[in-house]
Amino acid sequence: KAFTDITGYSEEEALGENPRILKSDRNEDKFYTKMWLDLKTTGQWSDEIWNRKKDGSIYPEWLSISAIRDDDGEITNYISLFHDISEKKINEEQLEFLAFHDSLTKLPNRQLFYDRLNFSIQTSIRTGNKLALLYMDIDNFKNINDSYGHPFGDELLCHVKDRISAICRSSDTFARYGGDEFVIVLNQLKNSQEALDFSIKIVNLFKTPLSILEEEIFTSLSIGLAIFPDDGKNIITLEKNADLALYKAKREGKGQVYAYRKELKDSFQRKTFLINNLRQAVDNFSSFTIVYQPKVDANDKTIKGVEALLRWKQEGNWISPEEFIPIAEDTNLIIPLGDWILQQAMSDMKVVHDSGYTDIAFSINLSTRQFINANLYRTIEKLTAELGINRSKLFLEITETAPMNNVEEAIEIMEKFNQIEISFSMDDFGTGHSSLSNLKRFPLKELKIDRSFIMDIPEDKNDMAISKTIISIGKTLNCQIVAEGVETESQLAFLKEQGCNMIQGYLFYKPLLLDELLKALKNPVDL
C-alpha cells in the first residue's frame, strides 16, 4: 500500500514490471554505474535518488538496495527499501533559502549580498565596466515603529521593498542589509551618471504615500552612492565610502542622494581624529582654555558682564569651537566638558568678584544635553554654595533649540534655577525654531541677537529690520538685549538708536584670558 500511495501505480500495474518504470532520467548514467558497482562488490547501496510517479511527476526518495545470495554466493535477488523524502527536501530548501535570504522581505540577506558583490566586482574587472553600490536607509523609521508598532513597521519594510523592486533590473542585486537598511548593486554601468539617475528615481518613488494597514503614510529614503572602481577597488573600501555618503545624506536633511567624494573621506578622517583626541583631552582638560568676551554698556563703554568661551588647542593649533563642540555633543563628551567649564568659570568668577568687581555678571553656555541633564541643578547649586558666588550675577546661556523638545520641562528647569536667583539668557536668538507663544512663557532675563543679523548692518536692510524686531520683542518681554559680533561704529550707532545698549564684539574687546580681563577692569581702554 505504501508503494501504491507513493508512486501512484496499483499492485496490478507494478507486479512483474521492471523497476525502470520509476526512472526519472534526472540522475546521470554514472550515478547508476556506481550503484551497480557497489552492489556487485559489497552487496549494499543506499543514496538519494529521483524517481517518477505514474502521473509523470518526479519526487526524491531515499533508496536502500541489498543483494541476496544463494549458498554458492551468487546474487539471486535484490531487495530495495525506499521512502519519500519530499517533505525533508522542502524543509532543506527552505532552510537553504533562509540562510541566504531575509525572512521578512524575501530579499537576499547580507551574506548573499556580499557573495554577489564580490562576483560583480570580478565581472567589472574583466569587462572594464563600472558598478555602483547604493546604501539606502528609511528616514525616521524608528519614530514610525514607536508610533504605530512593529507589525506596522514590518509592513512598511515590505511595501518599500515592493516599490524599489519594481524598477530594479534582474541583473542587479537588491538586498536587505539589516533593520531599515537596504542595498543595491548596479552592474555593468557605462558611467556614474546612470547610478545617480537611478538613485534619484528611487527617491522620487516615495513622493507619494504608502498605504499600510489602512493608513496613508509618507516616508522617504536617504541614499549613499559609491562607484567601483572610482570610489574603492575592494569591498571594504567601497562599502565604507557608500556608508559615509549615506551618513552625509542623512545629516544634510534626509530624503536625498549623496554621492561619495574624497572630501567626504577627509572630513570623516578629520572628525575621527578630533573624536579620539577629544576623548583623551577630557581626561585632564589641560589642553582647554576659557576666555571671556566682555559685554559692554554702549553708553559709558564700561564692562558690565562677560561670557565664558571655551578654546581647545590640539598639536599646537587652535580648533574652532564650531568644529569640536558639535562633536562633543554627539559623543556625549559635552557632559564632563560642561562640568569642567562650570567649575572653571565659576572659580574665575569668584576671583573677579574677590578682586572688587562684584557687579560683573558671568554667563556660561549650556548645551542642550547639559540643559536637560538631571544632575545640572545639583552641580551648579553645589558649586555656587562651595565658592560663595553671588548667584544673581550668574547667567546660564541656552540656544533657542534647547528648550523646544519639551517646553513644559524646560520651563520647570528654568524656574527652579530662578528660585535660587540664577538667570537665563537665550543665545543666538532668531536662528532657531522657537515660537513666540512659547518664548513668552520662558522666564528669561536676557535675549542675544545673533551676529549673523549684525554683521551686514547697515548694508542689509533685512538684517536691520530683524534686529529691530528682536529688540522690540526683548523689550516687550522685559529682557535685557545683547548684540553679538559688533565690529563697526555704524553697527553700534544703529543698535543704540534702537535702544540696544549691551554690546559684544571686537569693536570693544576680543575674548580675554582671566588676567587680561582683570587688567581691562582695572584700567579700561579708552573706547
Side-chain angles (χ1 to χ4, degrees):
K1 185 177 185 303
F3 177 92
T4 297
D5 290 343
I6 293 172
T7 67
Y9 287 100
S10 66
E11 182 179 346
E12 293 76 16
E13 292 171 320
L15 283 174
E17 292 292 332
N18 191 295
R20 279 194 294 272
I21 63 171
L22 302 175
K23 189 176 181 183
S24 68
D25 295 322
R26 187 161 176 175
N27 299 100
E28 298 178 353
D29 289 342
K30 62 182 180 180
F31 176 88
Y32 294 103
T33 300
K34 184 178 186 309
M35 179 186 79
W36 285 113
L37 180 63
D38 287 352
L39 285 172
K40 288 176 181 179
T41 55
T42 67
Q44 301 287 332
W45 178 88
S46 61
D47 205 342
E48 286 185 13
I49 189 171
W50 289 90
N51 274 341
R52 189 180 302 276
K53 298 182 181 183
K54 180 184 176 182
D55 63 7
S57 61
I58 61 175
Y59 67 97
E61 68 177 36
W62 183 264
L63 176 63
S64 298
I65 303 177
S66 300
I68 298 177
R69 301 178 186 273
D70 59 16
D71 294 340
D72 297 325
E74 295 295 323
I75 297 176
T76 59
N77 299 86
Y78 294 98
I79 286 183
S80 74
L81 176 67
F82 71 85
H83 60 274
D84 187 350
I85 58 171
S86 298
E87 186 174 348
K88 176 175 178 288
K89 276 289 184 184
I90 291 172
N91 291 337
E92 287 177 352
E93 289 172 0
Q94 288 177 337
L95 287 173
E96 183 177 4
F97 181 86
L98 291 175
F100 296 101
H101 292 79
D102 171 52
S103 60
L104 176 64
T105 63
K106 306 301 184 289
L107 290 173
N109 62 13
R110 190 180 301 192
Q111 184 175 350
L112 183 55
F113 153 68
Y114 280 127
D115 182 68
R116 290 187 180 177
L117 177 57
N118 182 63
F119 180 79
S120 294
I121 287 176
Q122 299 308 315
T123 302
S124 290
I125 292 172
R126 288 196 305 272
T127 63
N129 289 327
K130 298 177 183 293
L131 71 81
L133 183 59
L134 279 66
Y135 266 29
M136 301 175 289
D137 183 273
I138 301 175
D139 298 324
N140 305 314
F141 181 72
K142 184 179 183 302
N143 293 341
I144 295 172
N145 251 349
D146 292 343
S147 299
Y148 294 93
H150 290 282
F152 189 94
D154 288 346
E155 283 293 316
L156 174 64
L157 290 170
C158 291
H159 279 68
V160 168
K161 180 265 297 186
D162 290 341
R163 280 203 180 177
I164 298 174
S165 295
I167 66 169
C168 286
R169 304 177 303 183
S170 59
S171 58
D172 299 324
T173 295
F174 177 30
R176 185 184 179 193
Y177 196 76
D180 63 327
E181 294 180 342
F182 296 89
V183 62
I184 293 179
V185 181
L186 297 177
N187 292 308
Q188 300 302 298
L189 301 176
K190 299 300 182 185
N191 54 62
S192 303
Q193 189 62 42
E194 289 182 62
L196 185 59
D197 291 343
F198 182 80
S199 300
I200 293 172
K201 187 183 293 186
I202 292 177
V203 170
N204 290 336
L205 287 175
F206 298 93
K207 299 295 185 183
T208 56
L210 295 166
S211 180
I212 302 172
L213 301 179
E214 300 182 354
E215 291 273 358
E216 293 284 310
I217 185 167
F218 280 92
T219 189
S220 62
L221 261 68
S222 296
I223 301 178
L225 173 64
I227 304 296
F228 175 88
D230 306 14
D231 302 327
K233 293 181 171 56
N234 55 61
I235 288 178
I236 294 176
T237 305
L238 196 65
E239 186 178 31
K240 180 179 67 176
N241 291 341
D243 195 37
L244 274 175
L246 173 60
Y247 174 80
K248 183 70 172 178
K250 301 287 276 190
R251 289 297 292 260
E252 292 295 318
K254 304 178 182 178
Q256 61 179 314
V257 182
Y258 198 94
Y260 172 79
R261 295 194 296 270
K262 183 180 180 299
E263 294 79 11
L264 188 61
K265 181 179 179 182
D266 295 341
S267 173
F268 182 78
Q269 289 177 335
R270 168 71 172 175
K271 183 175 180 180
T272 302
F273 167 80
L274 292 177
I275 289 174
N276 292 336
N277 282 272
L278 198 58
R279 291 189 188 282
Q280 297 174 16
V282 296
D283 284 340
N284 57 28
F285 303 101
S286 60
S287 57
F288 293 103
T289 303
I290 294 182
V291 293
Y292 297 95
Q293 179 68 58
K295 297 178 181 180
V296 178
D297 188 318
N299 294 315
D300 62 16
K301 312 294 178 65
T302 58
I303 298 174
K304 299 298 185 182
V306 293
E307 177 186 358
L309 302 173
L310 183 65
R311 297 291 183 261
W312 182 35
K313 180 176 280 191
Q314 192 60 31
E315 296 183 353
N317 298 311
W318 291 106
I319 311 297
S320 169
E322 293 181 357
E323 188 175 17
F324 76 82
I325 292 296
I327 292 175
E329 291 178 343
D330 288 344
T331 57
N332 220 30
L333 292 172
I334 197 68
I335 299 300
L337 190 55
D339 287 345
W340 179 81
I341 296 169
L342 288 170
Q343 171 75 55
Q344 190 64 44
M346 288 187 200
S347 296
D348 290 348
M349 180 179 178
K350 179 173 174 57
V351 171
V352 170
H353 285 186
D354 287 350
S355 299
Y357 309 105
T358 55
D359 288 334
I360 301 299
F362 270 65
S363 296
I364 303 173
N365 290 282
L366 297 179
S367 71
T368 301
R369 288 182 183 271
Q370 281 179 285
F371 179 67
I372 62 174
N373 187 286
N375 294 321
L376 178 68
Y377 179 83
R378 253 189 333 268
T379 299
I380 293 179
E381 184 185 40
K382 181 181 177 182
L383 281 172
T384 54
E386 289 177 351
L387 294 170
I389 286 174
N390 179 0
R391 292 171 176 167
S392 67
K393 294 299 180 181
L394 179 60
F395 283 73
L396 301 177
E397 289 196 13
I398 57 173
T399 61
E400 270 189 87
T401 54
M404 295 313 297
N405 289 332
N406 189 328
V407 171
E408 299 303 325
E409 181 186 17
I411 293 172
E412 184 179 337
I413 292 171
M414 296 165 78
E415 287 179 341
K416 192 174 182 180
F417 277 103
N418 283 175
Q419 289 172 6
I420 58 172
E421 298 185 275
I422 294 175
S423 302
F424 275 86
S425 170
M426 183 164 283
D427 196 11
D428 302 337
F429 183 72
T431 62
H433 306 284
S434 65
S435 65
L436 294 179
S437 61
N438 286 324
L439 181 63
K440 71 179 183 179
R441 299 176 60 201
F442 295 142
L444 296 169
K445 195 170 182 179
E446 183 178 85
L447 279 185
K448 300 185 73 176
I449 307 173
D450 186 69
R451 68 182 304 272
S452 62
F453 301 126
I454 302 296
M455 58 192 299
D456 292 327
I457 292 175
E459 290 80 10
D460 193 314
K461 304 304 180 186
N462 290 329
D463 282 345
M464 293 174 70
I466 292 171
S467 298
K468 184 176 180 180
T469 300
I470 294 174
I471 293 169
S472 177
I473 291 172
K475 289 179 178 178
T476 302
L477 296 175
N478 295 317
C479 289
Q480 175 175 276
I481 312 299
V482 179
E484 298 181 307
V486 179
E487 297 184 0
T488 67
E489 290 290 347
S490 57
Q491 292 168 354
L492 177 62
F494 168 78
L495 291 166
K496 288 178 67 176
E497 183 182 343
Q498 302 306 319
C500 177
N501 297 315
M502 195 63 68
I503 306 298
Q504 279 186 291
Y506 285 14
L507 178 62
F508 294 142
Y509 292 99
K510 292 183 178 181
L512 306 171
L513 293 168
L514 177 62
D515 59 343
E516 294 172 335
L517 172 61
L518 290 170
K519 290 177 183 177
L521 291 169
K522 184 177 181 180
N523 299 301
V525 177
D526 184 9
L527 302 172

